[in-house]
Amino acid sequence: MAVSALELRPRNAVALMDAALRLCTRNAGVWALTLPGGAAVVAAMLYLAESVRMGWPLVVPSLLLTLAWFLRGLGQGATCHYVQELLLGTQGEPSAWASLKAALGRMPALFIAVAYLLGLNTLVVMLTGGFGYILLQSHGVGYAAVMQGRGSPLKLYGTCSRLLGPARGTALWVRVLMSVQVLAFFNLHIALNFLLLLGRKLVGVDLTFAERFASLDNGQWLIFLAVTTFALFEPVRAATATLLLVDGRVRQEGLDLLASVQQLPSRDLGRPLPPPGATRGAAMLAVVLGLGLLTAAPAHAQDAEDANPLAPAEALRRLSEVTEACEASTDEDTAGLYAPLESLGPAEAVKLDRFVRRVERQAFDEEDCDKARATLTQGLTTMGATVDAQARADARAAAARAKDILARPEFAEAAPKAEKDAPEPAAPPETPGWWQRFIDWLGAQLKKLFEREPAEPRKETAQPFLTGASVANVLVVVLVTLTLAVLGVVLLRALNRDKRRAGAEGVQVSTVDASTLAGDAHHALSRPPEGWAHLADELAARGAYREAVRSLYLALLSRLHRDGAILYDETLSNWDYLSQFRGRAEWKAPFRELTRRFDFAWYGNLPVGVDGYREFRALTEPLLAAPSRPEVARA
């Protein structure tokens, strides 16, 4: 369907961004066309990053990323076509399948545009440090311009600049507003970490490794956030590109329409134009009279006059001198004859020059003022008729041009609204679906649950002195008082017992029997720190470096538990030990680094070599070899 011309008025950058966001939130077609390409780019980018980190060959990941980028360009072209059909409706009802077919029909041009834009953006970013990416904004509508089939894809930037026209400044500010993707980047990070927190606190799932992965100090996580944010803004890019082209077209055609309307003479707006035959007759008469008045100049003088035509202001000055020299009448009628001189165009400048020279020759050379006055009056009258005829012809041309512009589909008038007085026929009520019926039923149940029953009017009756309610109130007060008294006595006894224990020889510490833990190979307290360290060296000698790293970490936990820095419990995670660390302040930083390396090696299944084990051993050695604190008595 065609959009009303009132809806296609020029917009600023904020209005265009707002329109693009509302269009993306209300139409599933833009998401269906852009999400496949965006998801392919995300997957290919993550695969490439993993290949770089693991040292795998990069041929296959690079090829997959290239194919995903071309798929993304195809989706952008289809989305631009879909948005254009939503706005203008030149080919009937918009459909995602029809837009996809249109993009497939222009697939070679779209692929050329993908390579062109990728090379141009890379070159601009490398040469200008990213600053020129904002200033060179016209190619941002490249896919939309290709789908319109205007210009060559190899000259895409020039085509985009021409199609944008006056909207190039708006495109610059739209690109600046697209920096909102930075906020979306951080909001996505916060939202995903909040979901992990809910999963750990509410559901009780161990998500330690996931939380460590979803950290800003992890390069793979940053790449995932960046490409996901880029994919989520794909519909907005396609919508803003199409809206910018429509805005540029409206601005250009609006300027043409304004220029055509301004050519309509204001003095002829109140009366109808003469018939075409009469206008042509007046124009021919003016031409004949003008030729008759201006044919007395010699051939050589005519060439000199044609080479340097006379300006209307200079002609008016020279004719005024002739009028003063011949003492002609200067009443309002004669003075009004000079008005057409200012309306003469460049085509009549040569004829005006000849006319002025002829009048000056009759007045000054021949000294025949009567003849000069007659020639002047007749020539000015003829010029007025010529200007009027030309103005009517220009008015008809301007009106025809304005009608041609307004006859285009995008300026079609909206259907007239029905009068308010005429009642509209009531549409038959639609049967609500099962989901709406369920929502209505649930709302009714919640309303019944939280709605208070109307209180019955209380009847004034004589109240007895002693009732059940008063007795219950007294009992509640007595029970609360007794409970508080008992709690106070228990608290005092506990405080006195703590004081007596503080004055005794030491603190009684109960430990787990070592014989009970000897059979549990996964318990850190089943061996002393020296035993775990010795086992780690044996495992490293056999090449089992991951198991050796685990043994060193258990030796560290055993040592910290013995020193009282942590309280070992199998139900706690490694990062819980770090958050509850009560040991020496200088040990906390190496303990955090050892915990991070152990999680990535043991739970993340990262390969550990001899160098990795030696580094882990070097970090653990100062903590294991440090002198122990004096043990508490009877511990």
Side-chain angles (χ1 to χ4, degrees):
M1 59 180 178
V3 180
S4 173
L6 297 177
E7 295 295 329
L8 288 177
R9 60 183 182 275
R11 306 295 180 107
N12 55 20
V14 177
L16 283 176
M17 282 292 294
D18 178 67
L21 291 173
R22 286 189 287 109
L23 189 146
C24 293
T25 55
R26 297 177 183 178
N27 292 274
V30 293
W31 293 95
L33 292 172
T34 53
L35 278 184
V41 171
V42 172
M45 195 67 189
L46 292 179
Y47 182 39
L48 179 61
E50 182 68 14
S51 301
V52 172
R53 188 180 66 85
M54 299 298 294
W56 298 340
L58 302 180
V59 177
V60 176
S62 302
L63 178 61
L64 292 178
L65 180 60
T66 304
L67 294 178
W69 198 259
F70 278 103
L71 179 61
R72 178 246 178 193
L74 188 65
Q76 282 285 306
T79 309
C80 292
H81 182 273
Y82 180 78
V83 174
Q84 183 178 355
E85 291 301 316
L86 282 176
L87 294 176
L88 303 180
T90 58
Q91 298 179 2
E93 188 68 22
S95 171
W97 285 109
S99 299
L100 183 59
K101 292 179 181 178
L104 290 175
R106 295 191 176 275
M107 187 167 58
L110 284 174
F111 285 174
I112 294 174
V114 170
Y116 182 94
L117 294 176
L118 180 61
L120 178 61
N121 289 329
T122 304
L123 188 63
V124 168
V125 171
M126 291 177 60
L127 295 180
T128 64
F131 184 73
Y133 182 76
I134 299 178
L135 295 180
L136 299 177
Q137 74 287 345
S138 297
H139 60 282
V141 299
Y143 296 111
V146 169
M147 290 305 298
Q148 291 188 5
R150 300 186 180 182
S152 173
L154 299 177
K155 301 178 181 179
L156 189 58
Y157 193 87
T159 303
C160 295
S161 300
R162 187 177 67 256
L163 292 179
L164 283 175
R168 285 192 293 269
T170 307
L172 172 62
W173 289 108
V174 167
R175 175 154 291 187
V176 173
L177 292 177
M178 287 297 288
S179 59
V180 75
Q181 295 177 84
V182 179
L183 297 179
F185 175 90
F186 289 104
N187 287 335
L188 186 62
H189 168 73
I190 294 171
L192 292 178
N193 278 272
F194 181 71
L195 291 178
L196 292 177
L197 178 64
L198 289 181
R200 184 166 61 87
K201 296 293 185 181
L202 299 181
V203 185
V205 182
D206 188 7
L207 300 173
T208 303
F209 182 73
E211 290 178 347
R212 287 299 307 149
F213 178 77
S215 177
L216 291 178
D217 58 356
N218 187 7
Q220 288 183 307
W221 176 249
L222 294 178
I223 293 175
F224 170 75
L225 288 179
V227 295
T228 303
T229 306
F230 180 83
L232 291 177
F233 272 80
E234 286 289 271
V236 182
R237 289 188 187 86
T240 52
T242 308
L243 288 174
L244 280 171
L245 284 187
V246 174
D247 185 68
R249 181 180 176 185
V250 170
R251 289 174 185 269
Q252 292 178 9
E253 294 179 349
L255 293 176
D256 295 341
L257 178 61
L258 180 62
S260 300
V261 172
Q262 287 178 350
Q263 292 181 9
L264 296 174
S266 58
R267 58 187 179 185
D268 291 339
L269 295 178
R271 63 174 184 267
L273 295 173
T279 305
R280 287 195 298 268
M284 291 299 295
L285 178 60
V287 171
V288 171
L289 291 176
L291 292 176
L293 290 173
L294 304 175
T295 54
H300 63 277
Q302 181 178 351
D303 296 338
E305 294 165 2
D306 293 345
N308 189 14
L310 190 64
E314 180 66 18
L316 180 60
R317 183 187 63 80
R318 291 168 62 176
L319 291 177
S320 300
E321 293 177 356
V322 173
T323 304
E324 293 177 358
C326 293
E327 297 179 355
S329 176
T330 58
D331 55 1
E332 295 181 357
D333 296 337
T334 305
L337 294 176
Y338 292 104
L341 292 177
E342 300 177 356
S343 302
L344 292 176
E348 289 80 13
V350 176
K351 300 178 182 179
L352 178 62
D353 191 6
R354 296 175 183 174
F355 171 70
V356 171
R357 292 176 182 276
R358 181 179 180 183
V359 173
E360 289 177 344
R361 186 174 61 255
Q362 291 177 352
F364 299 130
D365 297 341
E366 299 178 3
E367 296 182 357
D368 190 354
C369 289
D370 295 334
K371 186 177 181 181
R373 283 196 297 268
T375 302
L376 177 62
T377 303
Q378 184 181 3
L380 292 176
T381 304
T382 304
M383 290 181 185
T386 303
V387 170
D388 291 340
Q390 186 63 35
R392 295 188 184 94
D394 293 342
R396 285 197 305 273
R401 188 177 181 186
K403 289 179 180 178
D404 292 339
I405 295 176
L406 293 176
R408 296 176 182 176
E410 59 268 22
F411 291 99
E413 296 183 358
K417 297 182 179 180
E419 299 181 359
K420 296 182 179 180
D421 298 337
E424 298 181 356
E430 297 182 358
T431 304
W434 65 271
W435 178 255
Q436 185 63 34
R437 294 197 301 270
F438 171 74
I439 294 298
D440 296 340
W441 174 82
L442 183 60
Q445 296 299 324
L446 292 176
K447 185 177 181 180
K448 291 179 181 179
L449 180 62
F450 294 101
E451 188 178 20
R452 295 183 178 180
E453 297 180 356
E456 297 181 357
R458 303 176 63 181
K459 297 180 181 180
E460 297 293 337
T461 57
Q463 296 291 339
F465 178 74
L466 186 63
T467 61
S470 59
V471 174
N473 293 332
V474 173
L475 289 177
V476 169
V477 173
V478 172
L479 291 176
V480 171
T481 305
L482 291 176
T483 303
L484 293 177
V486 171
L487 290 176
V489 172
V490 172
L491 181 61
L492 290 176
R493 288 184 177 180
L495 293 176
N496 292 331
R497 184 167 58 252
D498 291 339
K499 291 180 180 179
R500 289 194 299 271
R501 289 183 178 180
E505 295 180 356
V507 181
Q508 298 291 335
V509 179
S510 61
T511 59
V512 182
D513 188 5
S515 61
T516 305
L517 300 176
D520 189 1
H522 299 285
H523 203 284
L525 304 182
S526 62
R527 296 172 183 257
E530 296 81 6
W532 284 115
H534 182 68
L535 178 61
D537 293 336
E538 292 180 355
L539 293 172
R542 294 199 301 265
Y545 296 110
R546 288 183 68 254
E547 290 77 7
V549 167
R550 176 179 176 273
S551 299
L552 282 178
Y553 191 75
L554 292 177
L556 177 62
L557 294 181
S558 178
R559 171 62 191 274
L560 294 178
H561 176 79
R562 288 171 179 265
D563 288 354
I566 64 172
L567 180 61
Y568 184 79
D569 189 352
E570 288 183 319
T571 61
L572 299 179
S573 67
N574 300 332
W575 295 95
D576 292 334
Y577 295 142
L578 183 62
S579 62
Q580 300 173 5
F581 186 77
R582 296 295 182 270
R584 305 176 187 178
E586 63 271 13
W587 284 10
K588 191 168 185 180
F591 183 41
R592 179 186 293 107
E593 179 64 20
L594 289 170
T595 303
R596 186 184 69 84
R597 294 194 178 196
F598 171 72
D599 281 353
F600 276 97
W602 187 254
Y603 298 109
N605 292 324
L606 291 180
V608 180
V610 61
D611 295 336
Y613 171 72
R614 289 176 180 174
E615 292 178 2
F616 200 88
R617 179 73 175 176
L619 290 174
T620 313
E621 188 67 27
L623 278 69
L624 296 178
S628 303
R629 292 182 177 180
E631 294 187 356
V632 184
R634 296 183 184 180

